[in-house]
Amino acid sequence: MTAGGRTRLIGWALVAGGCDAKSEDCAAASASPIVLETATGDLDGTLQLPAGCGPFAVVLIHAGSGPTDRDGNNPLLPGANDSLKLVAAGLAERGVASVRFDKRGVAASHAAELDEEDLRFETFVADAAAWVGKLAADGRFTGVTIAGHSEGSLIGMMAAKQSPAAAFVTIAGLGRPAGEVIREQLGAQLSGELLAEADGILDALEAGVEVEEVPPELYELFRPSVQPYLISYLKYDPSVEVASLAIPAAIIQGTTDIQVSVEDAELLAAAAPDAQLTIIDGMNHLLKAATLEPASQWAAYTDPSLPVVPALFDALVAGVAGAPSRAAIVTPPVR
């Protein structure tokens, strides 16, 4: 381990936790439905319990942006990747329970969808905080850790401040306001007058002002019905939010992530110097081993048979409040 609690591609020697086989809380590993009731509809999820004796540490796994479901799959892609389903299974193997859920409007939680013009970023934050409250009140669990992936990172860190969360883990989360990232993306695709118009629209939304006239080429991104949501989202800076957390935090990022950079993780770490930062060589945005070659990335996004990088679990379990005891960190030899 390096100074300041930083590690790079760490490994752990796992120690199995013991339990009293006569306890009523001892059971085989299982996965079962779990539901969060809200005023506008139910949110459906999956509770994954490890084998053994409770109570267990539990992780609320929050998916990323758009229609990404509880398993980490997105209907806009031609295949499944099952990344978050694999994370849940790996946690259970390590004695940690988890809940992953479909966000409102997604998959089995479709009935809880709000009209686009009524949706706000804070809606997802409130949902996550409610899930934490539900789990914190459940005697089967010892403490709730929020693990937010991608956009779920910002949602999770904000929900942690509105709930009895015991710890927070960001996985492939941005370290900058989303407006900066959108500008970078648009700058690589647009030029001239259209780029200037896009920049002006972002300026207005960041100032909290809706824009009536949107060029046809930019309509899908800045359509009037989505602007209230964008206004509510663009005002947050992940580095500011993580700095104000009053609970233990961990930051995990892969080096072959083509959506979020190592620099983003370093920005979060600079803002929260007590957080454990882990950079995992060769892990992409879907938490799988991949190079920067398009074919390798595509396979990780569309092949559920590819496993999650094992080092992810080392860093993730280390950040889980109340996780089973682990041996000391083992750092790979320098080659």
Side-chain angles (χ1 to χ4, degrees):
M1 179 185 294
T2 58
R6 275 28 178 176
T7 62
R8 185 175 184 87
L9 194 54
I10 60 173
W12 290 81
L14 301 183
V15 179
C19 68
D20 178 3
K22 297 180 180 179
S23 169
E24 294 180 358
D25 293 326
C26 294
S30 64
S32 58
I34 186 170
V35 174
L36 177 70
E37 297 179 355
T38 80
T40 53
D42 292 348
L43 303 184
D44 285 11
T46 299
L47 168 62
Q48 193 109 15
L49 292 175
C53 310
F56 301 105
V58 63
V59 178
L60 178 69
I61 302 172
H62 201 295
S65 61
T68 304
D69 68 16
R70 74 185 81 178
D71 292 337
N73 299 323
N74 190 315
L76 301 180
L77 292 173
N81 63 79
D82 281 352
S83 56
L84 301 185
K85 183 178 181 180
L86 293 168
V87 168
L91 286 173
E93 291 173 358
R94 291 159 175 80
V96 178
S98 67
V99 167
R100 62 191 193 277
F101 66 99
D102 295 328
K103 297 168 293 182
R104 62 174 62 244
V106 174
S109 299
H110 180 75
E113 184 175 20
L114 300 178
D115 291 338
E116 187 170 69
E117 57 266 26
D118 296 326
L119 187 64
R120 301 292 183 273
F121 186 74
E122 292 83 2
T123 307
F124 295 119
V125 175
D127 287 342
W131 274 110
V132 174
K134 179 181 178 72
L135 297 176
D138 191 321
R140 293 174 293 177
F141 309 121
T142 58
V144 186
T145 297
I146 304 176
H149 177 250
S150 195
E151 185 183 78
S153 168
L154 179 57
I155 293 170
M157 67 178 69
M158 293 176 61
K161 293 184 284 186
Q162 300 177 19
S163 69
F168 170 72
V169 180
T170 169
I171 307 172
L174 288 175
R176 301 164 287 161
E180 291 186 21
V181 180
I182 294 173
R183 282 186 171 86
E184 287 183 1
Q185 295 172 341
L186 291 176
Q189 302 173 45
L190 307 176
S191 61
E193 184 177 342
L194 192 58
L195 179 59
E197 289 190 71
D199 194 55
I201 292 172
L202 277 170
D203 285 342
L205 296 177
E206 288 171 333
V209 179
E210 294 184 34
V211 178
E212 293 184 4
E213 298 295 330
V214 178
E217 299 89 341
L218 301 174
Y219 192 84
E220 181 62 24
L221 179 60
F222 297 123
R223 59 191 180 277
S225 60
V226 80
Q227 289 185 27
Y229 177 83
L230 289 173
I231 288 172
S232 71
Y233 176 40
L234 294 172
K235 65 185 178 183
Y236 294 109
D237 184 338
S239 290
V240 172
E241 298 302 325
V242 77
S244 63
L245 285 177
I247 57 175
I251 302 160
I252 304 173
Q253 179 61 44
T255 61
T256 55
D257 187 331
I258 59 175
Q259 294 182 238
V260 177
S261 68
V262 169
E263 289 73 21
D264 283 292
E266 291 172 340
L267 285 171
L268 293 174
D274 291 333
Q276 175 70 52
L277 171 65
T278 304
I279 306 299
I280 301 177
D281 289 327
M283 185 178 79
N284 83 339
H285 195 67
L286 274 298
L287 317 178
K288 301 186 178 187
T291 69
L292 292 174
E293 293 298 320
S296 180
Q297 290 286 332
W298 184 251
Y301 275 75
T302 58
D303 186 351
S305 71
L306 295 178
V308 165
V309 174
L312 171 70
F313 294 109
D314 303 338
L316 179 52
V317 173
V320 173
S325 177
R326 296 294 185 258
I329 293 177
V330 178
T331 305
V334 176
R335 295 184 183 277

